[in-house]
Amino acid sequence: MSLTSTEAKTTAEVIARTLPYIQRFSGKTVVVKYGGNAMGDDKLKLSFARDIVLMKAVGINPVVVHGGGPQIGELLERLSIESKFIDGMRVTDSKTMDVVEMVLGATVNKEIVNMISAAGGRAFGVTGKDGQLIRAKKLVVSHKTPDMSAPEIIDIGQVGEVASIDISVINMLVDGGYIPVIAPIGVGENGSSYNINADLVAGKMAEVLGAEKLILLTNVAGLKDKSGEILTGLTTNRVNELIADETIYGGMLPKIRCALDAVKAGVNSAHIIDGRVEHAVMLEIFTDEGVGTLITNCDNSEEENA
């Protein structure tokens, strides 16, 4: 059945609007952190996979870093292993680390690879341990109260931070026509595994790859001001002000800080977008409006939309 004249006109206009974005971003790298609601809803899974495949098809190089906290929590519960958190970070002993590797490195990673493949793409799943892609070091967590003379060091187990990333592994996959799908597990100097926050890995990956964009999918509509309005275009200076006056606080702070670090390190822009919206990634790449908050170093970003 052919399109009506109105449908044909609308379809042609939508397709034509993507041309400037394709021309602008072709050949560029976009790092996407995938997690949250987008991982638990079948429609959102399909739209995410199609967005990633479309990007690759028009010459953009997507690199996917994924989380999997809820899936880890579910398996730990089934195995009767207690989940403990300190400052929002999962305490990771050796038994918990085994579960983290099983869930992130196998179950979740392979599911995403299969999703992208089913949508017509060529995805290749790796963990940060493969080829020593992500070298990690133990994350040191300290706690200090006013009555303490010195901070208390808290051991949260095999939780790490990024020490270095070997981009040759990623470049090999991208040059071979693959879409890298990366589980945020790092390897220490002694060969031990480390559980690393996926937002942090995505931010560092964007930095070392010299990415055009860092996109962080979240479970919220974007950053909001104190009146509840979505903040669209922000400079790094403005974000620092919002942190200082506690407009940005709590669980959003680590995500914002990794986005800030990436932009300050040379990534052109960071986007915190609503992963609950179908085709959120495509909307962020191929429209001016997007579905979240844009952070750049540009002085005029307050006038831009995400």
Side-chain angles (χ1 to χ4, degrees), residues 18-98:
T18 65
L19 179 58
Y21 302 98
I22 294 172
Q23 292 172 323
R24 178 179 175 186
F25 300 127
S26 181
K28 303 292 180 63
T29 297
V30 175
V31 175
V32 183
K33 186 267 179 168
Y34 176 56
N37 285 58
M39 297 181 75
D41 181 278
D42 287 341
K43 285 186 177 180
L44 294 177
K45 288 179 182 180
L46 179 59
S47 74
F48 173 80
R50 287 178 171 175
D51 290 356
I52 295 299
V53 172
L54 174 62
M55 289 167 63
K56 189 70 173 179
V58 299
I60 301 170
N61 295 317
V63 175
V64 178
V65 178
H66 67 82
Q71 294 91 330
I72 293 169
E74 288 172 8
L75 183 54
L76 287 171
E77 185 177 356
R78 291 207 303 269
L79 296 173
S80 299
I81 300 174
E82 184 182 1
S83 290
K84 297 179 182 179
F85 292 87
I86 294 177
D87 292 338
M89 292 174 287
R90 187 186 299 277
V91 177
T92 307
D93 59 16
S94 59
K95 288 184 178 179
T96 302
M97 190 68 230
D98 289 342

Side-chain angles (χ1 to χ4, degrees), residues 82-125:
E82 184 182 1
S83 290
K84 297 179 182 179
F85 292 87
I86 294 177
D87 292 338
M89 292 174 287
R90 187 186 299 277
V91 177
T92 307
D93 59 16
S94 59
K95 288 184 178 179
T96 302
M97 190 68 230
D98 289 342
V99 172
V100 168
E101 291 199 76
M102 185 187 309
V103 173
L104 295 184
T107 307
V108 174
N109 189 271
K110 301 316 172 192
E111 179 185 11
I112 297 169
V113 168
N114 289 338
M115 282 164 39
I116 293 172
S117 298
R122 298 176 68 205
F124 198 102

Side-chain angles (χ1 to χ4, degrees), residues 26-298:
S26 181
K28 303 292 180 63
T29 297
V30 175
V31 175
V32 183
K33 186 267 179 168
Y34 176 56
N37 285 58
M39 297 181 75
D41 181 278
D42 287 341
K43 285 186 177 180
L44 294 177
K45 288 179 182 180
L46 179 59
S47 74
F48 173 80
R50 287 178 171 175
D51 290 356
I52 295 299
V53 172
L54 174 62
M55 289 167 63
K56 189 70 173 179
V58 299
I60 301 170
N61 295 317
V63 175
V64 178
V65 178
H66 67 82
Q71 294 91 330
I72 293 169
E74 288 172 8
L75 183 54
L76 287 171
E77 185 177 356
R78 291 207 303 269
L79 296 173
S80 299
I81 300 174
E82 184 182 1
S83 290
K84 297 179 182 179
F85 292 87
I86 294 177
D87 292 338
M89 292 174 287
R90 187 186 299 277
V91 177
T92 307
D93 59 16
S94 59
K95 288 184 178 179
T96 302
M97 190 68 230
D98 289 342
V99 172
V100 168
E101 291 199 76
M102 185 187 309
V103 173
L104 295 184
T107 307
V108 174
N109 189 271
K110 301 316 172 192
E111 179 185 11
I112 297 169
V113 168
N114 289 338
M115 282 164 39
I116 293 172
S117 298
R122 298 176 68 205
F124 198 102
V126 296
T127 75
K129 295 181 68 175
D130 295 323
Q132 295 195 328
L133 167 61
I134 302 173
R135 298 298 299 268
K137 57 184 179 181
K138 186 178 179 67
L139 180 65
V140 176
V141 178
S142 61
H143 174 71
K144 188 177 187 302
T145 60
D147 60 330
M148 296 171 63
S149 58
E152 174 191 7
I153 304 301
I154 302 173
D155 187 356
I156 57 174
Q158 291 173 247
V159 178
E161 57 183 328
V162 176
S164 64
I165 294 175
D166 183 357
I167 63 172
S168 65
V169 177
I170 302 302
N171 289 338
M172 177 182 67
L173 293 173
V174 172
D175 292 344
Y178 289 96
I179 298 166
V181 179
I182 304 164
I185 301 168
V187 58
E189 290 185 356
N190 60 356
S192 58
S193 300
Y194 284 96
N195 180 17
I196 310 177
N197 178 276
D199 291 323
L200 177 60
V201 171
K204 293 297 182 184
M205 191 68 64
E207 289 180 30
V208 298
L209 291 174
E212 176 71 16
K213 293 177 179 290
L214 166 66
I215 297 177
L216 305 174
L217 273 71
T218 68
N219 294 337
V220 297
L223 292 180
K224 296 181 180 180
D225 61 21
K226 290 185 176 180
S227 65
E229 296 295 319
I230 301 295
L231 297 165
T232 53
L234 297 172
T235 63
T236 53
N237 288 337
R238 179 59 179 146
V239 173
N240 284 327
E241 291 172 0
L242 293 170
I243 293 173
D245 71 10
E246 298 185 345
T247 298
I248 301 172
Y249 65 95
M252 186 61 76
L253 270 174
K255 195 178 297 288
I256 295 300
R257 292 195 189 280
C258 87
L260 276 178
D261 289 344
V263 172
K264 290 176 179 178
V267 176
N268 190 55
S269 60
H271 307 250
I272 298 171
I273 68 172
D274 193 345
R276 301 168 300 177
V277 175
E278 286 189 55
H279 297 293
V281 175
M282 183 174 66
L283 291 169
E284 202 63 38
I285 296 290
F286 298 117
T287 71
D288 283 337
E289 291 78 16
V291 286
T293 300
L294 164 72
I295 301 172
T296 73
N297 265 324
C298 300

